[in-house]
Amino acid sequence: MTTSNGRVIILGGGIGGLCASIAFRKVGIDATVYEQAPAFGTVGASLQVWVKGMKAFAELGLADEIRRRGAEVHRQQFFNQHGTPLYHARLAEFARKHNAPMPVMIRRSEVIETLAGSADLGPVEFNHRATAVEQDATGVTVTFANGRQERADLLVAADGINSRTRQAIFPEVEILTANYRIVHAVAEHEPPCGPNNFTLFFGRGTRIAIKDCGSNHIFWAAALRDPTVSIDEPNELVKDDLRDRFGVFPQPVQDLIAATPPAAMLHHDVRALGPMPSWSRDRIVFLGDAAHAVTPNLGRGASEAIVDAIVLARRIVPIDLRDRTALATALADYEAVRRPESTALQQESWRIGTVSSWRGFAMTKARDLMMKTIVGHKQVAKIEGEFQIEVPSLLPAVV
């Protein structure tokens, strides 16, 4: 579709791409989403929509539906593998104090269904895998594997950490692999650590996060240093390995793993995106994981993509996308607003993943002590501060 200020193509029908489509249409820009899969995907068990993400969803008119489909997180609590408390954060109290939304834990499929059902979502074309992207002075042309070609004034690459578009434009950008793996799943189970809680247990080279998604669906994610089971081996072996590793953890942890069917478990490396030289080149701009994929240690990745969509829509709505100079300025402004926060998040999440994977006796004892004292206090203060961060509005305020 073409609107008065130009035509937009979005590559990728995940959370970032769908949010971009909705944000664009709400400000009067029609954009077509091209997705390589035959239908909306549900890869990934569950995710956390952090405070910023809920504020951004409110701008898209979807916060209430996300909240209805998931479970608010009222409290974060942290323990060592013996169940000794390290620190906790009262999120419900922070939300009331700062008049902010609480984070929401929700199954990824529920998020996709919410976005797909939005009245503001633009056209989505499935079975379209981009194989080539070419730019010239007046536009950008995308060639798809089915032989189809489409041309636009702006291409939004929201095609994830493995973005083919990014690989073509910035082949030097590295995908980083952490020194631990993750196994995660959603299990039908009563909240083992209390309703509306996020609970994390730290061990020696192992840790497990347990999160209530509502309706007796529990998301858990176990991080494993020095994994002994290959990714391509059967999940029955993965489950046996988990039961051995977490046999010293509190009984609710062991019961949750035991109650999870092997078929529900996802086992993979933990990856993040290395530094990008720029978030755009000419008429191509990157969004979400395609620009700043982050390790999952803080549960913020999806929220960052939603905010990207809001900021990008706000920057391009007042301009004629056919004007190269105006477009370059708008895309540079988008990056200037979003990149500092996303880069800081990438760095912090990588650092937390490293420290959380310590396995030596002395190092883990020192980590527990730090979390009980100064580090824990600082982290709680930082969490409270994030309830005060504002998300740019999708439309300028009426004066």
Side-chain angles (χ1 to χ4, degrees):
M1 290 186 179
T2 303
T3 47
S4 59
N5 63 338
R7 184 172 191 233
V8 179
I9 285 175
I10 300 171
L11 294 183
I15 292 172
L18 297 182
C19 285
S21 172
I22 294 167
F24 292 171
R25 176 164 279 198
K26 288 184 81 71
V27 298
I29 300 171
D30 283 315
T32 300
V33 176
Y34 292 91
E35 165 58 39
Q36 65 179 355
F40 287 122
T42 56
V43 176
S46 183
L47 58 91
Q48 175 180 249
V49 183
W50 189 240
V51 183
K52 282 199 305 184
M54 290 303 295
K55 290 181 178 181
F57 267 139
E59 291 293 320
L60 299 182
L62 299 173
D64 288 343
E65 183 65 9
I66 291 294
R67 195 175 291 112
R68 185 186 71 81
R69 287 173 175 260
E72 291 182 333
V73 185
H74 294 176
R75 176 185 174 95
Q76 290 185 338
Q77 49 193 13
F78 302 84
F79 304 86
N80 67 15
Q81 67 182 28
H82 305 297
T84 303
L86 301 177
Y87 69 93
H88 65 270
R90 298 184 178 93
L91 305 190
E93 179 180 309
F94 298 158
R96 287 191 296 269
K97 179 178 177 182
H98 301 292
N99 193 29
M102 283 179 273
V104 171
M105 279 303 306
I106 184 171
R107 286 176 288 168
R108 189 180 189 278
S109 60
E110 298 283 356
V111 177
I112 295 296
E113 287 181 12
T114 298
L115 297 173
S118 169
D120 293 304
L121 180 66
V124 179
E125 298 277 357
F126 295 106
N127 293 307
H128 278 74
R129 179 172 63 85
T131 57
V133 176
E134 297 180 353
Q135 301 189 75
D136 56 37
T138 60
V140 54
T141 301
V142 183
T143 302
F144 297 96
N146 59 14
R148 182 176 177 181
Q149 285 191 328
E150 293 291 338
R151 187 166 173 82
D153 302 294
L154 174 65
L155 172 67
V156 179
D159 47 350
I161 189 172
N162 296 316
S163 169
R164 292 188 179 91
T165 311
R166 188 193 63 246
Q167 292 169 14
I169 302 299
F170 298 120
E172 70 275 20
V173 176
E174 295 182 314
I175 294 177
L176 311 175
T177 302
N179 64 353
Y180 52 92
R181 284 206 201 123
I182 191 169
V183 180
H184 57 108
V186 172
E188 291 192 34
H189 196 284
E190 292 185 359
C193 304
N196 299 101
N197 285 341
F198 167 98
T199 307
L200 184 56
F201 296 90
F202 294 94
R204 297 178 59 184
T206 56
R207 64 188 185 276
I208 185 167
I210 299 173
K211 312 173 188 183
D212 178 15
C213 294
S215 302
N216 280 344
H217 284 93
I218 305 301
F219 172 71
W220 59 264
L224 313 174
R225 180 77 181 269
D226 297 328
T228 57
V229 180
S230 299
I231 288 178
D232 57 356
E233 291 191 80
N235 277 358
E236 286 76 11
L237 296 180
V238 174
K239 182 171 181 176
D240 290 342
D241 180 55
L242 290 173
R243 296 179 77 166
D244 288 341
R245 288 174 181 261
F246 290 94
V248 298
F249 280 61
Q251 193 62 45
V253 174
Q254 300 180 50
D255 292 344
L256 181 60
I257 293 172
T260 305
M265 297 180 181
L266 300 173
H267 179 205
H268 55 80
D269 289 325
V270 174
R271 302 184 301 162
L273 196 64
M276 291 271 285
S278 173
W279 281 17
S280 65
R281 174 169 290 179
D282 299 328
R283 295 182 176 276
I284 298 174
V285 64
F286 298 90
L287 181 148
D289 282 355
H292 50 76
V294 60
T295 55
N297 297 298
L298 288 168
R300 309 283 202 274
S303 297
E304 293 298 303
I306 305 163
V307 177
D308 283 354
I310 298 289
V311 174
L312 181 58
R314 178 74 183 268
R315 290 302 183 277
I316 67 173
V317 67
I319 68 169
D320 184 341
L321 297 175
R322 291 158 290 207
D323 183 332
R324 296 178 70 187
T325 301
L327 180 60
T329 299
L331 299 184
D333 287 347
Y334 156 70
E335 180 175 351
V337 171
R338 294 295 302 128
R339 185 163 188 154
E341 290 182 14
S342 295
T343 299
L345 180 68
Q346 285 178 304
Q347 294 171 347
E348 182 182 7
S349 185
W350 189 271
R351 178 183 59 80
I352 288 174
T354 300
V355 173
S356 299
S357 298
W358 286 351
R359 58 189 174 183
F361 178 80
M363 295 178 75
T364 53
K365 283 291 187 182
R367 180 192 64 202
D368 291 356
L369 179 60
M370 288 188 295
M371 287 186 174
K372 283 184 178 180
T373 54
I374 187 168
V375 171
H377 298 325
K378 286 184 175 180
Q379 189 63 22
V380 171
K382 183 177 184 301
I383 290 170
E384 181 175 3
E386 292 179 5
F387 281 75
Q388 303 171 64
I389 296 174
E390 294 300 325
V391 169
S393 62
L394 191 55
L395 293 169
V398 178
V399 180

